[in-house]
Amino acid sequence: MGPDSEIKASVVPLKASNGSTSPVSARKACYAELRQLFEGLRGQNHLIILQGAPDPDAISSALALEFMANLQEIESTILAFQVPSHHENRALVKRLGINLVYWEEGFDVSQFAAYSIVDSKRFTTKLDKRLDESGVQFLAFIDHHREDVSAPGASLIDIRPGYGSTAAILCEYLGEAYPKGLESTDPEHVRMATALMHGIRSDTSTFLRSTPMDYQAAAFLAPSVDHRTLKMIERKVLSSGVLGMFENALVRKRVHDNFVFSDVGYVRSADRDGIPQAAELLLAREGTDTVLVFGIVDEKTIDGSFRTTSETINPDEFLKGFLGVSPESGEYYGGGNIRDKGGFQIPLGFLGHFEDKNQVYSMAKETIEKSFLAYIGKAINEEESK
Ligand SMILES: [Mn+2]
């Protein structure tokens, strides 16, 4: 079954005419417009940019966009600036044979007629100057994060903050292209459906945070998902480095009522993800509702993760209040969401060059723990006096 060729290209002016208008969300005509845009690029090359460390939502959305471009004989290249960091993300790329191209200085953008960005708040990239110089058109910006006041300069802007994943948005496009559903006998469809299902599951904490649209997208994908592969991709694998961090976090934990504070030692940036994982592990401790875990990454920064199930603590407020603002950059050292998680990063600066690593570590630990406890005391007192 081919894509539905009867879809009328009822093009709504999606592009904000000036930077002051915020992009319009949730509209049905996007696939039709996308198709028409791709039509105009037939036979040319298209670049899909993934910002930051590529996660399953971004990777699978890119895969779906690549697939839809391919329907109009457009070759896409999926470009990432960082290697996927998590075992699951690497497994997704490997198991499904997704061809991610990693950015390097000599990357030639002039081979592309257009570029798109999926699953990112940011619509500027470090390639902007080159893309502009080579006349590469900004084709599509598709995302589910909160709306920014300034509109991306893309021909198609589809930002839907009400969705738990970008993959669910792409599923709607696919639903318009294939109103009868994907073909469970077509390996390309199965591959894409499996990736998108993982994208939705991963961005919504396995549907805990999904919206009706994510469930609808999952229902659309379900018949074509390869469950065995999905299970292999989602299998938890912990490196020995991360296991060592868990061990440290468990042994070194300090319990203050329902708060647990711990640290994992010096870690390599490759194992950085072990910090939030250790925080989540400690959060499972009975009687604990708030956890802070930190480590020193690559001897350069103190990286911390904050997790809470408390009804009263707002992680974003907490981290901003507790760590304050960097005098150098004027930005907060940390932040988070309003509900359950946050993180921080504090540069060690000149302390990083200090010979005695143990002493640097104790200083960092003492400083953070002291201000943490002082802040908890303050936070609790304020709460009680309300
Ligand atoms: Mn996402």
Side-chain angles (χ1 to χ4, degrees):
M1 184 177 63
D4 185 2
S5 53
E6 294 306 304
I7 291 173
K8 282 202 195 73
S10 56
V11 180
V12 188
L14 289 169
K15 191 173 174 175
S17 50
N18 60 53
S20 67
T21 330
S22 96
V24 185
S25 310
R27 55 174 74 246
K28 271 290 194 185
C30 280
Y31 175 67
E33 194 191 358
L34 184 69
R35 202 166 145 259
Q36 203 180 54
L37 288 168
F38 279 147
E39 194 70 57
L41 285 178
R42 194 174 275 275
Q44 302 187 75
N45 295 329
H46 171 231
L47 177 67
I48 303 171
I49 299 178
L50 304 183
Q51 312 259 43
D55 69 18
D57 190 28
I59 296 167
S60 64
S61 298
L63 193 67
L65 192 62
E66 176 186 43
F67 176 88
M68 285 184 272
N70 204 252
L71 296 173
Q72 318 294 323
E73 283 149 45
I74 295 159
E75 279 284 336
S76 300
T77 296
I78 306 174
L79 178 73
F81 293 100
Q82 287 174 38
V83 177
S85 60
H86 225 278
H87 163 82
E88 265 180 44
N89 303 348
R90 288 192 295 268
L92 170 72
V93 170
K94 203 180 131 199
R95 291 264 174 216
L96 297 178
I98 297 167
N99 188 18
L100 290 188
V101 171
Y102 298 106
W103 159 257
E104 44 190 62
E105 237 351 274
F107 186 81
D108 178 20
V109 300
S110 67
Q111 54 182 309
F112 303 103
Y115 73 100
S116 299
I117 295 175
V118 288
D119 194 45
S120 169
K121 283 189 256 254
R122 275 183 302 131
F123 53 86
T124 54
T125 76
K126 64 173 172 186
L127 299 183
D128 284 358
K129 195 162 164 270
R130 293 195 206 187
L131 290 164
D132 199 44
E133 281 165 3
S134 304
V136 187
Q137 181 203 343
F138 192 174
L139 191 89
F141 181 87
I142 307 168
D143 184 43
H144 68 114
H145 295 98
R146 95 193 128 77
E147 293 189 47
D148 205 301
V149 277
S150 55
S155 303
L156 182 146
I157 301 163
D158 192 358
I159 303 171
R160 309 192 197 188
Y163 284 54
S165 59
T166 302
I169 305 174
L170 271 301
C171 284
E172 278 193 25
Y173 292 7
L174 286 170
E176 288 180 55
Y178 296 91
K180 289 184 188 143
L182 296 172
E183 288 288 329
S184 61
T185 49
D186 182 331
E188 269 307 294
H189 287 201
V190 171
R191 174 173 171 256
M192 184 170 57
T194 307
L196 287 165
M197 185 66 100
H198 180 52
I200 296 171
R201 285 169 60 87
S202 138
D203 248 37
T204 61
S205 307
T206 328
F207 296 111
L208 277 176
R209 287 190 197 129
S210 53
T211 64
M213 287 76 86
D214 300 290
Y215 282 114
Q216 268 165 28
F220 171 77
L221 298 171
S224 311
V225 169
D226 175 350
H227 292 277
R228 264 192 56 179
T229 303
L230 186 61
K231 200 173 161 191
M232 281 193 282
I233 292 169
E234 295 190 353
R235 193 169 73 94
K236 275 253 171 292
V237 173
L238 300 169
S239 69
S240 62
V242 169
L243 276 177
M245 290 161 74
F246 283 7
E247 192 181 337
N248 286 344
L250 288 169
V251 170
R252 301 176 184 187
K253 70 175 186 303
R254 277 85 71 198
V255 180
H256 308 279
D257 300 323
N258 45 341
F259 284 83
V260 173
F261 183 89
S262 195
D263 60 284
V264 294
Y266 280 102
V267 299
R268 294 174 306 137
S269 55
D271 289 330
R272 202 223 157 277
D273 272 351
I275 299 172
Q277 291 179 57
E280 269 153 34
L281 177 72
L282 288 172
L283 190 63
R285 180 182 174 274
E286 197 166 34
T288 294
D289 69 13
T290 302
V291 175
L292 188 133
V293 175
F294 80 89
I296 296 185
V297 178
D298 282 347
E299 301 185 12
K300 289 197 188 88
T301 54
I302 307 168
D303 283 34
S305 285
F306 182 86
R307 294 290 183 274
T308 185
T309 56
S310 154
E311 296 293 331
T312 50
I313 291 171
N314 169 336
D316 192 56
E317 251 174 36
F318 189 95
L319 289 167
K320 285 177 174 161
F322 144 56
L323 295 163
V325 171
S326 155
E328 282 98 49
S329 69
E331 284 172 15
Y332 285 107
Y333 284 119
N337 65 13
I338 57 166
R339 203 174 46 243
D340 57 2
K341 58 169 88 172
F344 62 85
Q345 188 171 59
I346 304 168
L348 274 183
F350 96 106
L351 274 183
H353 306 295
F354 209 66
E355 281 287 322
D356 189 342
K357 300 291 171 205
N358 287 333
Q359 202 182 342
V360 172
Y361 198 88
S362 327
M363 278 166 66
K365 183 171 159 178
E366 203 178 312
T367 312
I368 292 176
E369 185 161 12
K370 265 191 185 154
S371 29
F372 178 68
L373 291 176
Y375 191 76
I376 294 175
K378 210 175 120 237
I380 289 172
N381 287 338
E382 275 172 12
E383 195 56 46
E384 278 170 353
S385 63
K386 264 180 199 167

